[in-house]
Amino acid sequence: MKTDLPQSFRRLEYRPPVYTFDQVELDIALDPARTIIKSRIEVLPGKSFEAGAPLVLVGQELEFVSLRINGEAHRHFELTPEFLTIHSLPNEGRDKFFVEIICVCVPEKNTSLMGLYVSNGNFFTQCEAEGFRKITYFLDRPDVMERYRVTLRAREAECPVLLSNGNLLISEKLPNGWHSATWEDPFPKPSYLFALVAGKLECIEETITTSSGAQKLLQIWVEPHDLKKTRHAMDSLIASIHWDEKRFGLELDLERFMIVAVGDFNMGAMENKGLNIFNTKFVLAQPETATDADFANIESVVAHEYFHNWTGNRVTCQDWFQLSLKEGLTVFRDQEFSADQMGSESGRAVKRIEDVRLLRQLQFPEDAGPMAHPIRPDEYQEISNFYTVTVYEKGSEVVRMYQTLLGKDGFRKGMDLYFKRHDGQAVTCDDFLMAMADANGRDLTQFRNWYSQAGTPRVKVQEHYDPSKKQYQITLIQSCAPSAGQPEKKPFHIPLKMRLITKGNNQVEQLLELTQANQSWTFDSIDERPVLSMNRNFSAPIHLDFEQSEADLLTLFSSDDDPFNRWEAAQRLAMQMILNNRLPDEKLINAYRNLLLDPKLDPAFKELALTLPAESYLYEQCASVDPQKIFAARRAFRREIAKQLQLEWAALYQQMQTPGPFKSDAVDVGKRALKNLALSMLLEANKDVWAPMAVNQYRIADNMTERYAALAGLVIHGTREAKDCLIDFFERFANDALVIDKWFGLQSSRPPVDGLEPTLSDVKKLREHPAFKMNNPNRVRSVIHAFCSNNPASFHQVDGSGYEFWADSVLALDSINPQVAARLARALDRWRLFSQPYQDKMKASLERVAACPTLSPDTREVVGKALGN
Ligand code: TRP
Ligand code: ZN
């Protein structure tokens, strides 16, 4: 008999809690080898209460010490590795009672980075989604919300700083060099928002006044040597606070708001109430050590976590199937914030293009693969596998579609009603939809399909122009490929912005609402055949199936007034040619040239227009992928653009210099981006001629954007000069972990170069490097994930060596950190899309991983679904 069948959780099996909590007191004596946790919990009947029902608490990897109820030792309980089940409750549980539990955990042995762990000698917690159960026995579910009072104790010499959620009540000296701090959070919250931090940290702080005139203390806590790198995060936090007041009328509700940076972290950051904990990567920045992209990422992650204070914390999720309720909405909010920070319409378009590029590169493949799920999944084995680009990025696109359908004001009305109805509650995606519908008097029943159906819808466009009637007609046909458990899909409600581009320029933008499988629209008084600009600003997250002529695409590329679709036309032209193994023809080269020389266009936009579609997006257009062929075709296409426009690239390289003191405004950021693209194109055209210029840029740069771009150009193009610059870079930044991550990451992402060893042999050497650490997620991601997930042409080798390295790495990581291993395991998701011999070799490696008897539930779910079990 098979006893290790994976356990699945289903959305429709949701039951409200049998018991619920009110006041919780925690007393935690911190010790890396043996932390003692005492809890005192006020328990009440919950919505599914039945007299006599046991209280079932979850706990994981805890040493149980004792249990008391209403002050008396209690013997009626059962303990399993997962549950503490308490029987014989006073008055069969009808009245409130107090449970006191003492247990122990071992932070220094916790390499999963979930629950309480140690990083560089300091203590941190990560409780979302189900980490609190590794700290104490609890109702660790988001629909149980309680008030916390937390006393932290530690040796003062080792842990001078003791932080938790809310307000500091008292700090005290204790005997034997110990001390304590007691924190109280005035807002009830689910356990996943609990946090503590303790150790040798220092902070920068600011006091600000919010819209209602209240004073707030903002702090950013880091290791002392990093204090000088916190200014940008603080500025981003202040800008986020003001933006949320202005755009949504939402104010900071706490007297104190803290951000803490930690070097060992599974994800980007975490929105714990009043005590956000961040991966150092999304806090620390100075121009000398962080690129323009790092600065932008910090701004958006700081905003994201801050925005969760309302969308996630004040209104939280009923259960984890509703994750997109907070994540999709909060990503939408951070995207809008970042777009507003750009300060111009064209800046907004640049941000939109970047967001869509990410969606297509990562989410479209997910939606077509074995882990495809609706933004509100129906089933999971391990919830941490569902912090996906679908839940986050597609979730944000779904929220954006409300705004497109209802208008900005209508969307705001919906948000206001959502908070009016649900502040302080744990709710569902349906509740959000109903608030949007009711506030606007709209029936959004069909819009629900975006929540229940996986897969990227395909919209086929047929156009017809009748010159005698001066009539233009379009027919839209929507479809969506089957996905697991969903053989047939109902039509989606798809908002499509469109405009007819005519010589008379007299047609305005319109919003078409595609609701049927097949729908037509007729436009009258159209004097000549128009060019259709469809799905403007990417108003819906779909595949557009439209055989537009190259002439029409060139028209859109040179003159569409929607900058997104202008970019899109260039992408489609390039994509079609690459997939047909063609080089750019004269017309396209001329269009590129005109764009590059157009003084009215932003450099940032030009850079995006000349950046080719990612290999992973090209794969999705094929029935059977030959990764080496796609790599070669894309590379040849790029080399042709580089060579044909070599004079222009050289001129741009000079024109886009940003002399004088370093500035990180949108204008200079755009110039640096275009200049660095020019450098990379010049190296592409002729590396021997241009390498000395790259070395020069590397040497004289006063900022990481330029220094890194120069180094990357030298490495990626396989120049002789790369070696010395890599040595210099390592020595220069040996003490800066985030920069050393870049050093590892760059070498692991080098695509194949004729005459050089395959990248895999470099990666294997990097893994043996003294600075490589298998239990630091950032370092692992910069070597292993970068190679397996972001370097397709090096990873997909006919001999299967990349896949064997992948399998070895997944297995090695799985026993250290299941979440990091499971994320790596996703690299083989699309194996069925590949041609032979790739496909069989991928399958063999998947099977080798699946055969490991001790695999974590995280990795088991990923490889199990990939293999179709
Ligand atoms: N809620 C976090 C965010 O999106 C996500 C997160 C941070 C997380 N750390 C995690 C999810 C660990 C799972 C596990 O901002
Ligand atoms: Zn989030």
Side-chain angles (χ1 to χ4, degrees), residues 375-418:
I375 63 167
R376 182 193 58 203
D378 287 314
E379 177 268 351
Y380 62 74
Q381 292 167 26
E382 174 51 58
I383 185 57
S384 60
N385 285 331
F386 284 78
Y387 286 75
T388 59
V389 274
T390 297
V391 165
Y392 278 65
E393 261 62 36
K394 186 179 183 180
S396 165
E397 294 299 322
V398 171
V399 174
R400 186 176 296 279
M401 286 191 285
Y402 287 107
Q403 183 171 266
T404 304
L405 287 167
L406 305 171
K408 222 170 159 180
D409 293 341
F411 184 78
R412 171 67 194 266
K413 278 189 209 150
M415 289 287 280
D416 290 350
L417 184 59
Y418 175 64

Side-chain angles (χ1 to χ4, degrees), residues 405 446 450 457-461 475-479 491-496 511-521 534 540 542 544:
L405 287 167
Q446 195 188 355
W450 284 109
R458 204 164 266 285
V459 175
K460 192 171 173 56
V461 184
T475 301
L476 302 179
I477 303 156
Q478 63 163 304
S479 61
F492 293 88
H493 183 170
I494 305 179
L496 292 161
L511 180 66
L512 307 183
E513 294 190 26
L514 173 60
T515 53
Q516 281 141 47
N518 185 322
Q519 222 170 321
S520 297
W521 285 264
M534 184 47 111
I542 56 157
L544 198 62

Side-chain angles (χ1 to χ4, degrees), residues 729-863:
F729 193 86
F730 189 90
E731 285 169 359
R732 231 180 242 265
F733 298 106
N735 296 320
D736 191 321
L738 294 172
V739 183
I740 296 306
D741 288 338
K742 293 185 196 300
W743 182 85
F744 278 102
L746 174 56
Q747 297 176 76
S748 310
S749 355
R750 174 176 67 75
V753 176
D754 286 340
L756 287 193
E757 288 270 291
T759 304
L760 180 57
S761 49
D762 290 353
V763 169
K764 286 182 175 164
K765 280 178 215 144
L766 291 172
R767 207 181 40 183
E768 304 306 318
H769 192 284
F772 180 76
K773 300 183 196 106
M774 201 61 166
N775 49 20
N776 175 256
N778 286 357
R779 193 59 47 93
V780 167
R781 283 186 284 250
S782 72
V783 176
I784 301 176
H785 294 59
F787 177 74
C788 298
S789 303
N790 298 329
N791 189 354
S794 298
F795 180 58
H796 297 288
Q797 293 294 321
V798 277
D799 62 2
S801 52
Y803 313 142
E804 279 168 29
F805 173 79
W806 167 88
D808 294 338
S809 304
V810 170
L811 291 171
L813 280 168
D814 196 52
S815 55
I816 299 171
N817 188 325
Q819 289 187 1
V820 173
R823 189 73 46 157
L824 177 66
R826 300 280 317 266
L828 259 54
D829 265 14
R830 294 297 275 143
W831 66 277
R832 287 178 203 270
L833 189 60
F834 286 77
S835 59
Q836 298 296 9
Y838 304 100
Q839 192 181 115
D840 281 353
K841 299 217 153 130
M842 280 191 239
K843 186 169 185 232
S845 283
L846 277 162
E847 282 167 343
R848 176 152 74 88
V849 172
C852 168
T854 56
L855 219 52
S856 69
D858 309 57
T859 302
R860 175 147 322 278
E861 177 172 33
V862 172
V863 296

Side-chain angles (χ1 to χ4, degrees), residues 616-630:
S616 69
Y617 182 56
L618 295 173
Y619 291 175
E620 295 301 314
Q621 321 303 318
C622 306
S624 173
V625 172
D626 181 331
Q628 294 304 328
K629 273 201 183 134
I630 289 192

Side-chain angles (χ1 to χ4, degrees), residues 126 128 267 269-271 304-305 326-327 387 392 819:
Q126 171 57 38
E128 187 180 7
M267 305 268 285
M270 179 60 212
E271 70 264 23
H304 180 97
E305 305 312 330
K326 73 175 176 79
E327 295 305 346
Y387 286 75
Y392 278 65
Q819 289 187 1

Side-chain angles (χ1 to χ4, degrees), residues 582-586 589 592 612 633-646 649 681 684-685:
R582 281 169 56 194
L583 295 178
D585 58 16
E586 208 185 311
I589 293 289
Y592 282 139
L612 300 177
R634 185 180 183 277
R635 195 67 192 258
F637 190 91
R638 191 172 195 269
R639 183 151 294 163
E640 191 67 12
I641 301 176
K643 284 190 168 155
Q644 297 277 343
L645 296 171
Q646 202 167 166
W649 294 122
M681 284 295 191
E684 183 90 61

Side-chain angles (χ1 to χ4, degrees), residues 233-399:
M234 179 62 91
D235 291 341
S236 302
L237 176 59
I238 294 170
S240 307
I241 294 173
H242 292 320
W243 184 89
D244 218 12
E245 292 175 346
K246 230 179 115 193
R247 175 79 176 261
F248 289 110
L250 299 172
E251 218 184 304
L252 173 56
D253 56 9
L254 289 161
E255 291 158 39
R256 177 202 280 250
F257 189 88
M258 297 173 278
I259 287 177
V260 187
V262 56
D264 295 283
F265 201 70
N266 283 349
M267 305 268 285
M270 179 60 212
E271 70 264 23
N272 317 299
K273 186 81 187 183
L275 181 59
N276 289 357
I277 298 181
F278 275 60
N279 188 324
T280 44
K281 183 174 163 59
F282 296 110
V283 175
L284 305 178
Q286 280 185 138
E288 300 76 54
T289 59
T291 62
D292 292 337
D294 294 326
F295 274 77
N297 289 337
I298 289 168
E299 181 181 77
S300 83
V301 177
V302 167
H304 180 97
E305 305 312 330
Y306 174 72
F307 295 155
H308 268 315
N309 192 49
W310 279 93
T311 50
N313 301 3
R314 287 288 286 255
V315 181
T316 194
C317 301
Q318 173 195 271
D319 55 70
W320 292 119
F321 297 101
Q322 317 298 326
L323 183 58
S324 200
L325 171 75
K326 73 175 176 79
E327 295 305 346
L329 177 54
T330 304
V331 170
F332 171 73
R333 278 150 56 67
D334 84 54
Q335 289 178 345
E336 287 288 278
F337 164 76
S338 294
D340 285 347
Q341 297 305 106
M342 302 288 284
S344 71
E345 253 336 286
S346 55
R348 295 188 70 86
V350 165
K351 169 67 179 157
R352 183 72 186 130
I353 291 166
E354 288 168 349
D355 291 339
V356 173
R357 201 162 62 175
L358 184 84
L359 185 82
R360 282 179 172 163
Q361 228 165 280
L362 303 176
Q363 198 276 327
F364 280 23
E366 177 165 276
D367 230 349
M371 279 286 290
H373 52 281
I375 63 167
R376 182 193 58 203
D378 287 314
E379 177 268 351
Y380 62 74
Q381 292 167 26
E382 174 51 58
I383 185 57
S384 60
N385 285 331
F386 284 78
Y387 286 75
T388 59
V389 274
T390 297
V391 165
Y392 278 65
E393 261 62 36
K394 186 179 183 180
S396 165
E397 294 299 322
V398 171
V399 174

